[in-house]
Amino acid sequence: MQLALAEAEAAAGEGEVPVGCVIVREGRVIGRGRNARERLGDPTAHAEMVAITAAAGSIGDWRLEGCTLYVTLEPCPMCMGACLNARVPRVVYGAREPKAGACGSVVDLRAPAGFNHRVDVTGAVLGDACAEVMVRFFRARRGA
């Protein structure tokens, strides 16, 4: 999660909402991502999506079996959908996302009915530190 936090800090430095993500397989980071929506002008450029694309490219396979995705903010429905489609078996997130969280905060896409895959989710890992990055970013943005 510390590596994901470093990605979040880098996103904040670029003026992006500070969310960072890393994907680990067999103890090795195979994908990194941070929010890039503003920079790329792409609404799908969430940290998780960037990291999933990088990880798939790194191993040469769209199936991310045996991987753990670490992200500083609870994934949204799009990102959980991508985790399901990429066969990511485990997601670990930091701060809860009460407006769009898809691991139980707003909706629960960990094991949707009818899907042949489920995602094991662990939340609140370094949750305070992950939330603090967001709070600091939005305070500075609002000038408060």
Side-chain angles (χ1 to χ4, degrees):
M1 189 61 78
Q2 291 290 349
L3 295 174
L5 269 166
E7 291 293 330
E9 293 285 3
E14 296 169 352
E16 298 280 352
V17 173
V19 179
C21 181
V22 295
I23 299 177
V24 176
R25 183 179 194 186
E26 297 174 357
R28 186 173 68 91
V29 175
I30 63 167
R32 294 174 182 269
R34 59 180 170 258
N35 273 359
R37 294 188 322 168
E38 300 299 328
R39 182 171 52 84
L40 298 177
D42 179 354
T44 68
H46 289 198
E48 300 95 313
M49 303 297 281
V50 173
I52 287 169
T53 299
S58 173
I59 65 170
D61 193 349
W62 62 268
R63 292 172 194 87
L64 299 182
E65 295 164 337
C67 294
T68 300
L69 182 146
Y70 295 88
V71 63
T72 57
L73 186 66
E74 180 181 359
C76 73
M78 174 182 68
C79 294
M80 278 303 286
C83 288
L84 286 163
N85 283 305
R87 309 294 192 267
V88 173
R90 184 166 182 241
V91 169
V92 177
Y93 73 85
R96 283 185 64 246
E97 171 47 287
K99 294 180 181 176
C103 297
S105 289
V106 176
V107 295
D108 191 349
L109 296 180
R110 294 175 290 188
F115 272 68
N116 63 346
H117 180 68
R118 62 170 282 115
V119 180
D120 180 41
V121 175
T122 303
V125 174
L126 295 181
D128 291 342
C130 293
E132 180 57 32
V133 172
M134 297 288 281
V135 168
R136 236 183 311 128
F137 175 80
F138 284 109
R139 261 194 205 133
R141 207 162 192 197
R142 293 180 183 121

